[in-house]
Amino acid sequence: STMRSIMISNSFSVPILIHGAKIDDPNFRITHFVPDSVLPPGEVTSLLRVEFTSNGTSALYARELELSTNVTAMKIPLQVYHGRLHCQ
């Protein structure tokens, strides 16, 4: 499996309350996320980690990480590449 941290920043003039996070795919798992986290204006944080476990196919994955906040609902595109193409 592969794990990546998701960093977010708050460019609003008000704090953001991050209610929830989800990915509708069993090959992805969200870890290190605390529901109802508050991100003050101007701050940057590692909000969560996304773990991807391949199902054994060579397919490319394109899914969305959905965040629900007090300001907006966001869909963040995630793409997973199998790593079989190498540039030299």
Side-chain angles (χ1 to χ4, degrees):
S1 68
T2 301
M3 187 173 292
R4 296 286 186 265
S5 292
I6 303 295
M7 302 290 293
I8 65 164
S9 61
N10 181 2
S11 297
F12 289 100
S13 60
V14 296
I16 294 178
L17 176 63
I18 301 144
H19 299 291
K22 71 175 184 173
I23 302 171
D24 288 328
D25 187 311
N27 294 310
F28 291 86
R29 187 168 67 101
I30 295 173
T31 63
H32 298 85
F33 175 67
V34 178
D36 297 321
S37 299
V38 175
L39 185 61
E43 294 290 316
V44 177
T45 190
S46 174
L47 178 65
L48 54 84
R49 292 183 187 169
V50 174
E51 182 178 359
F52 173 75
T53 302
S54 174
N55 64 7
T57 67
S58 62
L60 303 177
Y61 281 85
R63 299 292 184 266
E64 291 178 332
L65 166 63
E66 298 179 37
L67 297 179
S68 58
T69 76
N70 63 320
V71 176
T72 187
M74 298 173 51
K75 292 187 177 185
I76 301 168
L78 302 175
Q79 294 185 338
V80 178
Y81 165 65
H82 53 61
R84 294 187 179 160
L85 176 67
H86 299 280
C87 299
Q88 297 183 6

